[in-house]
Amino acid sequence: MVDAAVAFGRVLRGAGLSVGPDRVMEFVRALEELDAGRREDVYWAGKVTLTSRPEDGETYDRAFEIFWERGGEYRQRPVPKMRFRIPPPKDSVLPAKKTVRPNREGDREAVTLRYSPVEVLRRKDFSEYTPEEFRELDRLLEELSLGGALRKTRRLEPARRGHYDARRTMRGAMRTGGETVRHRFRRARSEPRRVVVLCDVSGSMSPYSRALLRFLHAGVISGAPFESFSLGTRLTRLTRELAIRDPDAALRRAADAMEDFSGGTRLGDALKEFVDRWGQRGMARGAVVVILSDGWDRGDVDVLAEQMARIHRLAYHVIWVNPLKARPGYQPLAAGMAAALPYVDTFLSGNNFESLRRLARAISDAAERDRHGA
């Protein structure tokens, strides 16, 4: 039984669990106290002594099944370099980092299989995602902090130091018979800077629209002041449709609202509608405006340039995210992209999760610095 316990410990180490000699000895002691002939006793003795994190449970269960129940991979005297193969779960969307077939030559019984789902998905282009990987993307987007940093407003709030608050000081004095016991102060109130995101949903952006709309959904439900619009042949406000927790239901509502999804693009006209109807009325004033688009435009580029200039005057910071920027040798030669770039403060790519994380960081950084003083 000691040999089997030691071999099982090596199997778990090969599968990525942190199982040292001390844990193996605890496992052996537990088996001595229990009935080693009962599967349940062996299972729980190992689970209690050989695992330390909840995420170890799935790997442990699979290793236990193969090692103790199937018995095909176990030998009474395993060599020190014995390695073990743990197949990935059936519902895993994570491709194997290294796939090696079992080698039964000599004394080696199997091989180590490790996969890094998160690292693969973080750098994989959105256009290559499978439906299962889009569900995994929802979990990754929960890690992002999409709110802008705090900014000082003109409104004042009570504070321990700052501007002298004569009115509150006098009110306090009235409660103490006219004697000023405590002086009151006020300071500028801080609140998160608004973030406005406009996402191009035309046909040329269709490989990325689904992922970028999920990014918009993550921003809307984050609780930060976050507004979302779609750009196509018209402008559609999506904030209300995306304001529910279920991402699939939110995207269905957004799809119903967008009548121009995967159609043409008239960026200039759509941006003009945004500035006339929403932007200059307050939504874009002092906000961080993010435009997700490849810059392909069937409309008049002069109109696009004029509207970008208006947005640049209204907004605190303008960020343009183009998924094509990640391609080697990319040049912003599209007429729409060339017309908009002079009015863009930050130009980023948006083809994978890592680029969206950089975008979230850029939004936060933009809100913290003075654009004109940078």
Side-chain angles (χ1 to χ4, degrees):
M1 183 53 68
V2 175
D3 291 341
V6 173
F8 187 50
R10 288 174 181 153
V11 166
L12 295 177
R13 280 199 298 274
L17 271 61
S18 178
V19 179
D22 54 337
R23 287 180 177 272
V24 174
M25 290 306 300
E26 291 294 330
F27 180 43
V28 173
R29 294 191 189 98
L31 291 178
E32 290 175 352
E33 299 295 329
L34 301 172
D35 183 1
R38 295 183 67 246
R39 178 203 179 272
E40 293 300 318
D41 287 2
V42 177
Y43 174 84
W44 286 110
K47 191 144 190 176
V48 170
T49 57
L50 300 177
T51 63
S52 56
R53 303 174 302 173
E55 52 266 35
D56 293 342
E58 184 177 0
T59 302
Y60 174 84
D61 291 345
R62 299 180 66 80
F64 184 89
E65 178 185 356
I66 295 174
F67 186 88
W68 293 99
E69 297 182 357
R70 299 182 185 178
E73 307 292 345
Y74 168 68
R75 290 186 176 183
Q76 191 66 26
R77 295 182 179 276
V79 296
K81 292 185 179 181
M82 184 191 79
R83 290 180 291 178
F84 200 77
R85 178 175 183 268
I86 303 297
K90 294 180 181 179
D91 59 347
S92 173
V93 298
L94 307 173
K97 183 177 180 181
K98 182 179 181 181
T99 302
V100 183
R101 294 183 179 281
N103 178 15
R104 295 184 177 278
E105 295 181 359
D107 293 328
R108 295 183 178 181
E109 294 193 2
V111 297
T112 300
L113 178 62
R114 295 174 182 269
Y115 50 91
S116 179
V118 175
E119 290 302 319
V120 172
L121 286 183
R122 284 177 187 274
R123 291 171 174 77
K124 189 173 183 178
D125 195 280
F126 289 141
S127 61
E128 301 174 357
Y129 267 36
T130 64
E132 291 77 13
E133 289 169 337
F134 274 111
R135 285 193 289 273
E136 190 71 20
L137 176 65
D138 293 333
R139 290 188 283 273
L140 293 178
L141 288 174
E142 294 177 358
E143 304 174 3
L144 293 183
S145 176
L146 300 177
L150 298 178
R151 66 165 183 170
K152 291 184 177 179
T153 67
R154 294 182 180 180
R155 296 181 181 276
L156 301 178
E157 62 180 1
R160 302 180 65 179
R161 299 179 184 275
H163 302 286
Y164 188 72
D165 190 344
R167 178 178 296 179
R168 293 181 63 240
T169 301
M170 290 296 295
R171 287 178 180 172
M174 293 173 64
R175 290 192 290 269
T176 56
E179 186 72 23
T180 303
V181 177
R182 182 181 177 185
H183 295 277
R184 308 285 183 172
F185 297 90
R186 296 185 300 172
R187 67 178 179 183
R189 187 170 65 187
S190 298
E191 63 182 19
R193 191 176 293 279
R194 180 184 294 111
V195 179
V196 182
V197 182
L198 301 103
C199 180
D200 185 348
V201 294
S202 63
S204 61
M205 283 286 290
S206 58
Y208 302 95
S209 297
R210 183 177 178 182
L212 296 179
L213 286 172
R214 287 178 181 255
F215 175 79
L216 265 63
H217 172 252
V220 170
I221 65 173
S222 67
F226 195 101
E227 293 287 344
S228 59
F229 294 85
S230 68
L231 296 173
T233 56
R234 66 186 68 186
L235 178 75
T236 306
R237 190 181 185 187
L238 300 176
T239 305
R240 179 175 299 177
E241 285 73 12
L242 296 177
I244 57 177
R245 281 284 168 186
D246 186 349
D248 294 330
L251 292 191
R252 283 195 297 270
R253 294 175 55 178
D256 294 338
M258 294 183 292
E259 299 179 0
D260 54 348
F261 188 79
S262 293
T265 317
R266 300 182 70 85
L267 290 177
D269 295 338
L271 291 179
K272 184 177 186 305
E273 182 180 355
F274 166 73
V275 178
D276 291 343
R277 187 177 179 185
W278 307 97
Q280 67 182 9
R281 294 185 178 181
M283 183 179 290
R285 294 184 186 277
V288 177
V289 176
V290 181
I291 301 175
L292 310 173
S293 174
D294 56 5
W296 289 96
D297 186 18
R298 294 183 178 180
D300 189 343
V301 294
D302 292 335
V303 176
L304 173 59
E306 179 184 356
Q307 302 310 315
M308 285 299 300
R310 295 177 67 191
I311 292 176
H312 191 258
R313 288 194 295 269
L314 289 170
Y316 183 80
H317 198 86
V318 179
I319 301 175
W320 191 292
V321 179
N322 187 340
L324 303 182
K325 185 174 182 292
R327 297 181 180 179
Y330 168 78
Q331 295 291 331
L333 301 179
M337 194 70 258
L341 268 185
Y343 307 102
V344 173
D345 298 309
T346 303
F347 187 37
L348 300 172
S349 62
N351 64 310
N352 56 24
F353 177 78
E354 274 300 311
S355 63
L356 293 184
R357 195 171 67 168
R358 288 193 291 272
L359 170 60
R361 190 183 307 120
I363 292 173
S364 178
D365 293 344
E368 291 178 338
R369 69 169 180 264
D370 184 353
R371 179 183 63 188
H372 303 291

